[in-house]
Amino acid sequence: MTQALLSELRATLGQAQVLSEGDLSAYERDWRKRYAGKALGVVRPGSTAEVAAVVRLAAAHGVSIVPQGGNTGLVGGGVPDASGAQLLLSLQRLNRVRELDAANLTLTAEAGCILQAVQAAAAAQQLLFPLSLAAEGSCTIGGNLAANAGGTQVLRYGNARELCLGLEVVTPQGKIWDGLGGLRKDNTGYDLRDLYIGSEGTLGIITAATLKLYPAPLAQMTALAACASLEAAVALLGLAQARAGSSLTGFEVMNGFALSLVAKHFPQLTQPLGPQPWTVLLELSDSESEAHARAVFEGLLEAALEQGLIHDAAVAESLEQSHALWHLRESIPLAQSEEGLNIKHDIALPVSRIPAFVASTDAALRARWPGIRLVDFGHLGDGNLHYNVQAPEGMDAAAFLRSQERAVNELVFDAVLAHGGSISAEHGIGQLKREELARRKHPVALELMRAIKKALDPQGLMNPNRLI
Amino acid sequence: MTQALLSELRATLGQAQVLSEGDLSAYERDWRKRYAGKALGVVRPGSTAEVAAVVRLAAAHGVSIVPQGGNTGLVGGGVPDASGAQLLLSLQRLNRVRELDAANLTLTAEAGCILQAVQAAAAAQQLLFPLSLAAEGSCTIGGNLAANAGGTQVLRYGNARELCLGLEVVTPQGKIWDGLGGLRKDNTGYDLRDLYIGSEGTLGIITAATLKLYPAPLAQMTALAACASLEAAVALLGLAQARAGSSLTGFEVMNGFALSLVAKHFPQLTQPLGPQPWTVLLELSDSESEAHARAVFEGLLEAALEQGLIHDAAVAESLEQSHALWHLRESIPLAQSEEGLNIKHDIALPVSRIPAFVASTDAALRARWPGIRLVDFGHLGDGNLHYNVQAPEGMDAAAFLRSQERAVNELVFDAVLAHGGSISAEHGIGQLKREELARRKHPVALELMRAIKKALDPQGLMNPNRLI
């Protein structure tokens, strides 16, 4: 029967776009090599109509589908299970930018467009598509939307959700919903767009999206500031928001240990402020001029010094220096890998609760696992911490992970929920946190989610056992 | 049986909060007196638990519920039908601001809070809740969210949807989903929040919300500019967005006829630019100083003059003058009422398509109904026009409406869809546009919406025959 399906798929898409033999590990395994599955086959449709045809054929055979974009996800949401019974549907050939409407500040792109290509299409018209994250050279816009990606510009521009005005979706029945269009206001019924965004392929397949663009800022400036405490960093955020308004496009925080790992493993990177309890990276984007941006920045940092919120600061003097400051921040995950296996938590909290959360959770972890090392960093402006745990020095990191990861997660997630937070800020649920979600999400929310899943995908064929 | 329900409700809420006799027209009739219904009773629960109890009792009796906030809606979504069999559930007693977290820039308010009270609670802490619309003195935040209200600040801050971080909802089964919380990022499952926002009470009852706040701007300035054409107004918008970035918080357009009606019926209002083909109202909000805002404004208007986008401009010199300019804009609907009955269209289009839409639709209307008068104005920055039609001068407006409204709507809505627009930008669907929606929405979207309605409200008791 599965051979019959593969034959029908080959007849529909052409021989070359249905892969079922040879090494398919690029599709079957996630890039971090955490999840290795086995697909019945890999299909590479070249149009929305072909995606719909694949879905209809698979549904007729009762075969489930795992949609995949750039395969850069962090939660195992885009790779097949080990059964060999799932169809892997790659969106990579749907990679056209269909339209750019400069006067409407919108761009319509197919799901398989690489994020960087979308950014470049906007930049070619002196416009900005602000979604920006580490994987931008290989992740796809469809995957970004399916996972509601975050990144470094959320403080000003929002998550992927807030950057999308319309979607085209293939439903689990293989019908095409054309919900594209560049409208800022549209109150004609339930918000299907936002239901699909963040649904991780479990309700249908996003095939194209209309995205918001912005005028490119004329100047961007970056600074580092040294804070004695996380409370001071939160107060600095408030001051920066009041003084710079929406010109404040980045506000990242890094604890001393995170930057010490960067210093240890990447000694060639200059750290202008030296070791500090907490270092903040601020970015301003200005629509007037570099001189204006600099004046705002200097005024802000002087006020922060006067108010005792910071005790040192360094403003980048050039684009190269700006990039170097961001590079420090972006080197933290790599430095962690160099240091050894670690336990990552992508969590969100109300900004106001972060200092208390970190103080009490750091202390609880240290009390239970003496010598445990905490890499606390992230998008403080969005209340999003990458709250990572490194095994005590000298201990076998792999053994520590094997034996303690579950207990560490339990402690951290309990603390997150006690502080009104979320156990997944920007990476999603996928396979990794599905059980955690079922255990920890509000029971009425779970009921509503299950009712929606059952209503839209009664056969349960869309990315089953992911998210829900 | 209905008497049994009323008795149970009285036992639960107390005698005084269940009204079934006397003049209930304040609840049963919308404020524009377009829809007059008859309720089985009016219940006024005082807490979320009481709302849930009412829903459970009504569900047990198979009685449907119409939730109501401030009863300021424009589409008949919050008043009962004429059957006398529906329960009107007023949220007005749920009117506490539960929490304001200045460091997190969030506020949690109950559904029955008047919008102005929410704005005032924020302003008391030098913070801004930016949702602003004509009915703000009497509409409720719950109603704003149920309808996804728009208003005058959408260009910068988004619709009600974008200003909400979390919800508390009573489901059609009378369960309470606690989805409150001030998180900027939360990727733990389907976006139930946005599903409820804009669902007009058909999927459950919003009882509270966590809202986004912003630092209050230090200065606000307003200007009028005269444009020869709508194309020039759209180009001016692009220039203003590029130069002022997100400081541009208002961009309204008014055609000559709209302002001539204001001049006719409110001659005491000064119109600084005199009669013009198109007049634009621009507003800048600045986090630095009034001097800075003025410099940005003057630079922008000079550049617009040089580029020939405008031929005259007037910048308000004081807060009073700013208010006077806004007052001109806000007087258009009143001037229309003074002039006589008219046909209103709350539509959205891609900004880039607006000039072509208006040119061709104005022409088509004039060709079919010689002498017809067009009041074109609205939130150009959001692509949202209030595209209103006044009967030809001298003609009986009521008779024109009776005989021609359907044909006028047909022509306008056909044109809207041909230009990629929406037939309801910010007012919603309610009773007014339900049939139009069923006829004009993408059929797959309608299927998805109906499946969701059936899954979450299988008894069909939540605001039936509204929206869907």
Side-chain angles (χ1 to χ4, degrees):
Chain A
M1 196 190 79
T2 57
Q3 285 310 310
L5 172 58
L6 289 174
S7 302
E8 289 168 25
L9 290 168
R10 289 197 170 97
T12 305
L13 303 184
Q15 199 73 17
Q17 306 305 343
V18 182
L19 318 175
S20 61
E21 276 161 35
D23 180 6
L24 299 176
S25 61
Y27 298 99
E28 293 173 333
R29 211 161 61 176
D30 76 308
W31 67 280
R32 292 200 300 170
K33 304 197 170 78
R34 290 277 189 105
Y35 300 94
K38 176 80 196 104
L40 167 66
V42 173
V43 291
R44 298 164 38 90
S47 68
T48 302
E50 285 190 358
V51 173
V54 169
V55 171
R56 286 194 301 271
L57 287 174
H61 287 267
V63 166
S64 65
I65 291 182
V66 178
Q68 187 181 86
N71 193 11
T72 62
L74 295 163
V75 292
V79 289
D81 64 23
S83 67
Q86 298 192 300
L87 206 56
L88 190 294
L89 191 157
S90 168
L91 278 303
Q92 286 187 344
R93 289 180 61 227
L94 274 78
N95 61 1
R96 279 188 315 134
V97 172
R98 290 191 193 161
E99 193 194 5
L100 191 154
D101 181 344
N104 194 44
L105 293 173
T106 51
L107 178 156
T108 299
E110 293 179 344
C113 281
I114 303 294
L115 173 53
Q116 213 161 58
V118 176
Q119 296 166 342
Q125 309 270 333
Q126 284 76 55
L127 297 172
L128 173 73
F129 180 61
L131 188 67
S132 177
L133 43 96
E136 62 197 23
S138 51
C139 65
T140 62
I141 191 69
N144 296 149
L145 290 166
N148 187 26
T152 57
Q153 303 283 299
V154 174
L155 177 60
R156 162 68 184 98
Y157 298 103
N159 297 289
R161 178 183 305 292
E162 283 85 27
L163 295 171
C164 178
L165 293 172
L167 289 181
E168 180 187 83
V169 168
V170 171
T171 70
Q173 291 73 42
K175 296 183 182 178
I176 299 167
W177 166 46
D178 178 1
L180 295 172
L183 302 179
R184 260 74 185 175
K185 289 181 173 176
D186 181 16
N187 278 350
T188 55
Y190 302 152
D191 183 8
L192 301 171
R193 175 192 67 203
D194 284 312
L195 185 61
Y196 276 100
I197 295 174
S199 67
E200 303 188 10
T202 63
L203 299 176
I205 301 173
I206 295 171
T207 51
T210 305
L211 305 168
K212 277 190 207 170
L213 304 178
Y214 290 83
L218 272 184
Q220 271 193 323
M221 298 201 74
T222 314
L224 288 187
C227 297
S229 69
L230 208 38
E231 283 82 356
V234 168
L236 176 64
L237 173 65
L239 184 72
Q241 287 177 308
R243 289 186 70 119
S246 55
S247 303
L248 184 71
T249 48
F251 197 98
E252 304 282 315
V253 73
M254 304 165 269
N255 74 351
F257 180 62
L259 283 177
S260 80
L261 285 183
V262 174
K264 177 176 169 187
H265 296 287
F266 306 111
Q268 71 280 18
L269 300 182
T270 308
Q271 297 206 16
L273 300 182
Q276 300 290 346
W278 295 92
T279 304
V280 170
L281 184 155
L282 301 95
E283 184 190 74
L284 285 190
S285 298
D286 198 283
S287 49
E288 290 176 56
S289 65
E290 195 169 315
H292 180 252
R294 190 171 296 276
V296 172
F297 233 153
E298 286 171 357
L300 165 63
L301 294 171
E302 271 167 37
L305 274 166
E306 270 168 35
Q307 296 178 26
L309 304 180
I310 66 176
H311 53 268
D312 198 2
V315 181
E317 296 294 326
S318 66
L319 204 59
E320 289 68 42
Q321 285 187 13
S322 271
H323 288 161
L325 298 186
W326 273 107
H327 190 54
L328 274 180
R329 156 68 181 82
E330 284 156 4
S331 298
I332 295 173
L334 299 169
Q336 278 200 268
S337 297
E338 293 291 319
E339 185 69 9
L341 284 174
N342 54 78
I343 307 170
K344 294 189 199 298
H345 304 104
D346 165 46
I347 59 175
L349 294 149
V351 171
S352 54
R353 305 291 290 272
I354 285 184
F357 165 84
V358 169
S360 63
T361 313
D362 279 14
L365 287 166
R366 289 196 175 106
R368 176 134 172 218
W369 291 279
I372 203 170
R373 298 174 300 162
L374 300 169
V375 180
D376 301 347
F377 71 107
H379 317 294
L380 184 61
D382 317 319
N384 178 193
L385 285 187
H386 298 303
Y387 186 81
N388 297 346
V389 171
Q390 211 93 24
E393 202 155 10
M395 194 178 281
D396 176 346
F400 180 79
L401 241 73
R402 255 195 321 276
S403 62
Q404 304 302 323
E405 181 164 19
R406 183 171 285 266
V408 167
N409 288 347
E410 189 77 5
L411 191 157
V412 171
F413 291 149
D414 282 350
V416 166
L417 293 189
H419 285 85
S422 164
I423 63 167
S424 182
E426 57 176 8
H427 296 167
I429 300 298
Q431 302 179 54
L432 181 67
K433 291 185 182 170
R434 192 171 70 103
E435 285 172 30
E436 209 65 62
L437 187 77
R439 229 155 50 84
R440 294 180 180 275
K441 186 90 178 174
H442 194 282
V444 178
L446 283 173
E447 270 179 47
L448 292 166
M449 286 167 53
R450 287 180 184 131
I452 291 167
K453 168 72 175 175
K454 203 172 157 196
L456 300 193
D457 181 22
Q459 284 186 276
L461 296 180
M462 300 307 305
N463 215 8
N465 302 317
R466 304 303 194 278
L467 196 157
I468 194 163
Chain B
M1 196 190 81
T2 57
Q3 284 312 310
L5 172 58
L6 289 173
S7 301
E8 290 168 25
L9 290 168
R10 289 198 169 99
T12 306
L13 303 183
Q15 200 73 18
Q17 306 305 342
V18 182
L19 318 175
S20 61
E21 277 160 36
D23 180 6
L24 299 176
S25 62
Y27 298 99
E28 292 174 333
R29 210 161 61 177
D30 76 309
W31 66 282
R32 292 201 300 171
K33 305 196 170 79
R34 290 277 188 105
Y35 301 94
K38 176 81 196 102
L40 167 65
V42 173
V43 291
R44 298 163 38 90
S47 68
T48 301
E50 285 190 357
V51 173
V54 169
V55 171
R56 286 194 301 270
L57 287 174
H61 287 267
V63 166
S64 65
I65 291 181
V66 179
Q68 187 182 85
N71 193 11
T72 61
L74 295 163
V75 292
V79 287
D81 64 23
S83 67
Q86 299 192 300
L87 206 56
L88 190 293
L89 191 157
S90 168
L91 277 305
Q92 287 186 344
R93 290 180 61 227
L94 274 78
N95 61 0
R96 281 188 315 134
V97 172
R98 290 191 192 161
E99 193 194 6
L100 190 154
D101 182 343
N104 195 44
L105 292 172
T106 51
L107 178 156
T108 299
E110 293 179 344
C113 281
I114 303 294
L115 173 53
Q116 213 162 57
V118 176
Q119 296 167 342
Q125 309 271 330
Q126 284 76 54
L127 297 172
L128 172 73
F129 180 61
L131 188 67
S132 177
L133 44 95
E136 61 196 23
S138 50
C139 64
T140 62
I141 191 68
N144 297 148
L145 290 165
N148 188 26
T152 56
Q153 303 284 299
V154 174
L155 177 61
R156 162 67 183 98
Y157 298 102
N159 297 288
R161 178 182 305 291
E162 284 85 25
L163 295 171
C164 178
L165 293 172
L167 289 181
E168 179 188 85
V169 168
V170 171
T171 70
Q173 292 73 41
K175 295 183 181 177
I176 298 168
W177 166 45
D178 178 1
L180 296 172
L183 301 178
R184 259 75 186 175
K185 290 181 173 175
D186 181 15
N187 278 349
T188 55
Y190 302 152
D191 183 7
L192 301 171
R193 176 192 66 204
D194 284 311
L195 185 61
Y196 276 100
I197 295 174
S199 67
E200 303 188 11
T202 63
L203 299 176
I205 301 173
I206 296 172
T207 51
T210 304
L211 305 167
K212 278 190 207 171
L213 305 178
Y214 290 83
L218 272 184
Q220 270 193 324
M221 296 201 77
T222 314
L224 289 188
C227 296
S229 68
L230 207 39
E231 283 83 356
V234 168
L236 176 64
L237 173 65
L239 184 72
Q241 288 177 309
R243 290 185 69 118
S246 54
S247 301
L248 185 70
T249 48
F251 197 97
E252 303 282 315
V253 74
M254 304 164 270
N255 74 350
F257 179 62
L259 283 177
S260 80
L261 285 183
V262 174
K264 177 174 169 190
H265 297 286
F266 306 110
Q268 71 279 20
L269 301 183
T270 309
Q271 297 206 15
L273 301 182
Q276 298 290 345
W278 295 92
T279 303
V280 170
L281 183 155
L282 302 96
E283 183 190 75
L284 285 190
S285 298
D286 199 284
S287 49
E288 290 176 54
S289 65
E290 195 169 314
H292 180 252
R294 189 171 296 277
V296 172
F297 233 153
E298 286 171 355
L300 165 63
L301 294 172
E302 271 167 36
L305 275 166
E306 271 169 33
Q307 296 178 27
L309 304 180
I310 66 176
H311 53 267
D312 197 2
V315 181
E317 296 294 328
S318 65
L319 205 59
E320 289 68 42
Q321 286 187 12
S322 272
H323 288 161
L325 298 186
W326 272 108
H327 190 54
L328 274 180
R329 155 69 180 81
E330 284 156 5
S331 298
I332 295 173
L334 298 171
Q336 278 200 269
S337 297
E338 293 291 319
E339 185 70 8
L341 285 174
N342 54 79
I343 307 170
K344 295 189 197 300
H345 303 105
D346 165 45
I347 59 176
L349 295 150
V351 171
S352 53
R353 306 290 291 272
I354 284 183
F357 166 83
V358 169
S360 63
T361 312
D362 279 13
L365 287 166
R366 289 199 175 104
R368 175 130 172 223
W369 291 280
I372 202 171
R373 296 173 302 161
L374 301 168
V375 180
D376 301 348
F377 70 107
H379 318 295
L380 184 63
D382 317 320
N384 179 192
L385 285 188
H386 298 303
Y387 185 81
N388 296 347
V389 171
Q390 210 92 27
E393 202 156 10
M395 193 176 282
D396 176 346
F400 181 79
L401 241 74
R402 254 195 321 276
S403 62
Q404 304 302 323
E405 181 165 18
R406 184 172 285 266
V408 168
N409 288 348
E410 189 76 8
L411 190 157
V412 171
F413 290 149
D414 282 350
V416 166
L417 293 189
H419 285 85
S422 164
I423 63 167
S424 183
E426 58 177 8
H427 296 168
I429 300 298
Q431 302 178 54
L432 181 68
K433 292 185 182 169
R434 193 172 70 103
E435 285 172 30
E436 209 65 62
L437 187 77
R439 227 155 51 85
R440 294 181 180 275
K441 186 90 177 173
H442 195 282
V444 178
L446 283 172
E447 270 179 48
L448 293 166
M449 286 167 53
R450 288 181 183 132
I452 292 166
K453 169 72 175 174
K454 202 172 158 197
L456 299 193
D457 180 23
Q459 283 186 275
L461 296 181
M462 299 308 306
N463 215 7
N465 302 318
R466 304 303 192 280
L467 197 156
I468 193 161

